């Protein structure tokens, strides 16, 4: 109608006018107003969507076996088993950092990598940020020593860079000293901060306030209370089917049938399981390490075991099968069935402090990834045996402490977080090997013939015959917080320290069965 008020950002909560030409509150309007997250309503949380091209995964299996009979009692088999998995479930956060954006002739990821190298983060966790001095003035002076990076010089607002010799120095101080984003590889947080008042271009993330909207502070994040962060507080996890994996295994099997009363089968498998990170569909907050490069997370799968060996047998007493007489009843009818299982350790992840943000694909809170530490030197990762913990301050053995690493301190000095612009793969779900296992179970049976149709059977079943402990894999996640041996703390750290048993102690079961 004539004289009505046009709907603009300034009066988005009102529509139309009353008889006195005063705006009518939206609550009184005939038509309800749409909710626009980040503009006239609070932002939504972490969103979730389904890829319209989503499809079930496909598994192609291949096997080839050669069987050879050795006499009339033995059979030898040698074979290969392979699986190729495509269209595997793989969530992707589409509100990720556009790290390939180029300004000033340089991509953001290259500018970021240069800054991280200057902070020492490409050397080790301990070296990352170790040179940052104390005090604001000293830190600003230190930030001013960083070489200007073309991307930051072209992308930043002049007001953001005021007081520094370069825009690069401003980023280094504000994100690496005033905040710890740069030393923690929090790429998602770093970009989100710069996207909200730091960059000289329009917002690029859905969690950044809409410029000019009622919820826009008009100032960079951290200098005022901005209310909602944008249309989303985090990201949108799109349930896609872009993952892939494979399994390759070779096996040898020996079967023995009733050789001197012994029936036996032994199996040995050497295999490898690789993929982009297989998780069940219930893990909707999981996202690929890098949405622009799915193979960034390609590596060992969580169920990978390099070596597996098992043997089981049934050993029957060859004497006094008819159980005649007292001696026959005592010596005949015995059988023993042992089972031996041996396997190598599974992969262990080596997490960072954020364990999600190194490539800008997650926020570390609503979304997570499977990124791992990176080795800076050629040192073995993981071990198949336990090592006594030695306190570096005294050089003495710490009673009751065992570690899967011979020297946790030396190992930690070779680890660092993955760095955007330097690394393109973070090793699947783990870069270490957990502890191996072995176990023996046994079943002993004694059959006693009482009459033609009456018999008595005694059973003795033992699990973990030798009462051998199989220890749980230790904590190696979050190496960035210094969970290794801290000389100032002594044997209280937990990086690689074995602290619990994973299997049950020996258990015995007795049984008596009457058959008639």
């Amino acid at each position: 109608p004539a004289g009505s008020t046009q709907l603009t950002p300034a009066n988005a909560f009102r529509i139309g006018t009353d008889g006195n030409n005063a705006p009518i509150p939206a609550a009184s309007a005939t038509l309800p107003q749409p909710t626009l997250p980040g503009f006239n309503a609070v932002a939504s949380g972490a969103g979730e969507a389904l890829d319209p091209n989503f499809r079930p995964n496909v598994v192609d299996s291949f096997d080839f076996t050669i069987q050879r009979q050795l006499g009339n009692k033995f059979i030898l088999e040698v074979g290969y088993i392979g699986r190729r998995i495509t269209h595997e479930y793989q969530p992707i956060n589409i509100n990720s950092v556009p790290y390939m954006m180029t300004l000033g002739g340089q991509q953001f990821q290259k500018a970021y990598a240069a800054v991280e190298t200057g902070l020492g983060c490409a050397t080790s966790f301990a070296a990352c940020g170790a040179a940052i001095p104390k005090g604001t003035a000293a830190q600003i002076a230190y930030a001013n020593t960083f070489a200007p990076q073309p991307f930051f010089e072209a992308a930043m607002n002049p007001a953001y860079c005021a007081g520094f010799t370069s825009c690069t120095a401003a980023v280094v101080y504000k994100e690496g000293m005033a905040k710890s984003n740069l030393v923690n590889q929090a790429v998602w947080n770093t970009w989100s901060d710069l996207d909200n008042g730091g960059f000289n271009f329009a917002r690029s993330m859905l969690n950044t306030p809409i410029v000019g909207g009622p919820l826009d502070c008009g100032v960079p994040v951290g200098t005022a209370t901005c209310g909602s962060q944008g249309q989303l507080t985090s990201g949108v996890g799109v349930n896609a089917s872009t993952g892939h994996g494979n399994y390759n295994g070779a096996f040898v099997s020996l079967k023995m049938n009733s050789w001197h009363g012994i029936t036996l089968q032994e199996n040995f498998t050497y295999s490898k399981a690789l993929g982009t990170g297989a998780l069940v569909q219930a893990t909707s907050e999981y996202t690929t390490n890098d949405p622009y490069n799915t193979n960034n997370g390609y590596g060992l799968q969580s169920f990978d075991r390099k070596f597996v060996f098992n043997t089981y047998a049934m050993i029957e007493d060859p004497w006094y099968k008819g159980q005649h007489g007292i001696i026959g009843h005592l010596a005949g009818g015995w059988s023993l069935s042992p089972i031996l299982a041996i396997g190598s350790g599974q992969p262990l992840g080596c997490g960072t402090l954020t364990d999600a943000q190194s490539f800008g694909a997650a926020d570390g809170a609503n979304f997570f990834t499977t990124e791992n530490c990176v080795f800076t030197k050629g040192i073995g990762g993981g071990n198949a045996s336990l090592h006594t913990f030695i306190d570096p301050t005294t050089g003495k053995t710490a009673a009751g402490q065992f570690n899967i690493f011979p020297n946790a301190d030396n190992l930690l000095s070779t680890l660092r977080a993955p760095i955007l612009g330097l690394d393109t793969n973070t090793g699947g779900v783990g870069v270490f090997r957990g502890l191996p296992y072995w176990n023996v179970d046994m079943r002993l049976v004694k059959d006693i013939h009482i009459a033609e149709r009456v018999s008595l059977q005694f059973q003795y079943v033992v699990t973990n015959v030798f009462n051998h402990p199989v220890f749980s894999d230790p904590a190696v996640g979050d190496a960035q917080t210094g969970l290794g041996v801290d000389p100032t703390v002594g044997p209280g750290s937990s990086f690689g320290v074995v602290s619990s048993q994973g299997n049950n102690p020996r258990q015995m079961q007795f049984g008596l069965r009457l058959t008639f």
Side-chain angles (χ1 to χ4, degrees):
S4 63
T5 303
Q6 183 179 2
L7 183 63
T8 65
N11 60 15
F13 295 97
R14 298 175 178 272
I15 182 171
T17 60
D18 59 14
N20 298 318
N21 203 34
I24 299 175
S28 304
T30 302
L31 297 176
Q33 296 301 292
T35 295
L36 303 176
F39 193 87
N40 64 353
V42 296
S44 64
E48 189 169 346
L50 180 66
D51 183 358
N53 295 317
F54 185 88
R55 54 171 294 178
N57 69 320
V58 176
V59 178
D60 298 313
S61 298
F62 313 89
D63 65 87
F64 177 76
T65 304
I66 298 176
Q67 186 181 92
R68 171 67 175 172
Q69 185 166 342
L70 307 174
N72 62 348
K73 299 292 185 181
F74 297 88
I75 295 177
L76 177 66
E77 287 186 69
V78 179
Y80 161 80
I81 297 175
R83 286 187 173 88
R84 176 177 174 268
I85 305 113
T86 56
H87 305 290
E88 196 167 30
Y89 174 69
Q90 181 73 77
I92 298 175
N93 178 17
I94 61 173
N95 189 40
S96 300
V97 173
Y99 61 70
M100 73 295 297
M101 181 181 288
T102 303
L103 289 173
Q106 184 186 41
Q107 291 186 345
F108 168 76
Q109 62 176 332
K110 296 303 179 183
Y112 179 87
V115 168
E116 291 298 323
T117 302
L119 287 170
C121 300
T123 302
S124 68
F125 282 125
C128 185
I132 297 176
K134 303 292 184 181
T136 302
Q139 290 178 350
I140 292 176
Y142 176 69
N144 286 331
T145 66
F146 279 69
Q149 298 301 313
F151 178 89
F152 293 128
E153 302 310 310
M156 308 311 297
N157 276 321
Y160 181 91
C161 310
F164 296 89
T165 58
S166 67
C167 290
T168 301
V171 173
V172 171
Y173 172 75
K174 294 180 181 181
E175 293 299 322
M177 299 171 197
K179 291 184 177 182
S180 58
N181 288 334
L182 291 180
V183 295
N184 289 333
Q185 308 307 317
V187 175
W188 198 89
N189 288 345
T190 298
W191 184 279
S192 296
D193 285 354
L194 301 181
D195 203 36
N196 188 13
F199 289 139
N200 56 22
F201 50 82
R203 70 174 191 146
S204 59
M205 300 279 280
L206 292 173
N207 57 296
T208 305
I210 298 174
V211 178
L215 301 175
D216 179 21
C217 299
V219 293
V221 169
T223 59
T225 302
C226 293
S228 172
Q229 288 192 335
Q231 292 170 289
L232 297 167
T233 59
S234 180
V236 178
V238 176
N239 293 296
S241 51
T242 58
H244 60 91
N246 59 80
Y247 171 86
N248 293 279
F251 70 90
V252 178
S253 179
L254 177 65
K255 301 177 182 179
M256 183 168 62
N257 185 28
S258 297
W259 181 73
H260 297 291
I262 302 174
T263 298
L264 174 145
Q265 180 165 339
E266 293 183 325
N267 308 286
F268 174 77
T269 303
Y270 172 66
S271 64
K272 199 164 191 177
L274 299 170
T276 54
L279 294 178
V280 298
Q281 196 162 341
T283 54
S284 58
E285 290 187 344
Y286 162 62
T287 181
T288 179
N289 292 350
D290 184 347
Y292 309 107
N293 177 20
T294 304
N295 285 328
N296 184 296
Y298 183 80
L300 295 176
Q301 300 282 58
S302 59
F303 48 86
D304 176 78
R305 288 192 187 274
K306 183 178 287 187
F307 303 110
V308 175
F309 174 79
N310 58 70
T311 178
Y312 57 91
M314 183 174 180
I315 306 171
E316 296 181 298
D317 179 4
W319 303 284
Y320 302 102
K321 290 187 176 293
Q323 296 192 17
H324 301 296
I326 297 177
I327 296 179
H329 279 80
L330 293 176
W334 291 93
S335 65
L336 179 66
S337 302
I339 299 176
L340 169 66
I342 303 174
S344 58
Q346 293 179 282
L348 294 180
C350 177
T352 60
L353 191 60
T354 58
D355 198 17
Q357 294 201 30
S358 291
F359 300 94
D363 60 0
N366 295 293
F367 292 93
F368 71 93
T369 65
T370 58
E371 66 186 38
N372 283 283
C373 303
V374 174
F375 289 98
T376 58
K377 297 179 182 178
I379 186 171
N383 206 282
S385 59
L386 296 178
H387 301 272
T388 303
F389 180 92
I390 299 178
D391 187 344
T393 59
T394 63
K396 296 181 179 180
T397 300
Q401 293 253 8
F402 295 93
N403 201 300
I404 64 171
F405 305 113
N407 192 316
D409 265 357
N410 286 348
L411 178 62
L412 282 172
S413 67
T414 69
L415 298 177
R416 65 167 173 83
I419 297 176
L420 177 67
L422 293 182
D423 303 304
T424 57
N425 185 279
T426 58
V429 300
V431 293
F432 299 123
R433 278 287 174 184
L435 292 168
Y437 70 90
W438 68 266
N439 182 69
V440 177
D441 298 332
M442 183 191 72
R443 177 173 179 249
L444 179 66
V445 175
K446 167 61 176 168
D447 287 316
I448 303 173
H449 296 314
I450 299 176
E452 183 178 354
R453 296 186 178 182
V454 180
S455 63
L456 187 67
Q457 185 184 77
F458 168 76
Q459 294 188 22
Y460 173 52
V461 180
V462 187
T463 57
N464 194 1
V465 173
F466 296 101
N467 203 24
H468 169 70
V470 176
F471 292 104
S472 299
D473 287 331
V476 294
D478 202 3
Q480 189 170 358
T481 58
L483 295 182
V485 182
D486 185 349
T488 63
V489 178
S493 53
S494 60
F495 185 80
V497 173
V498 176
S499 59
S500 62
Q501 182 175 340
N503 67 335
N504 293 320
R506 179 170 51 220
Q507 296 181 353
M508 296 179 287
Q509 178 179 303
F510 300 88
L512 195 63
R513 175 181 295 175
L514 178 65
T515 303
F516 57 90

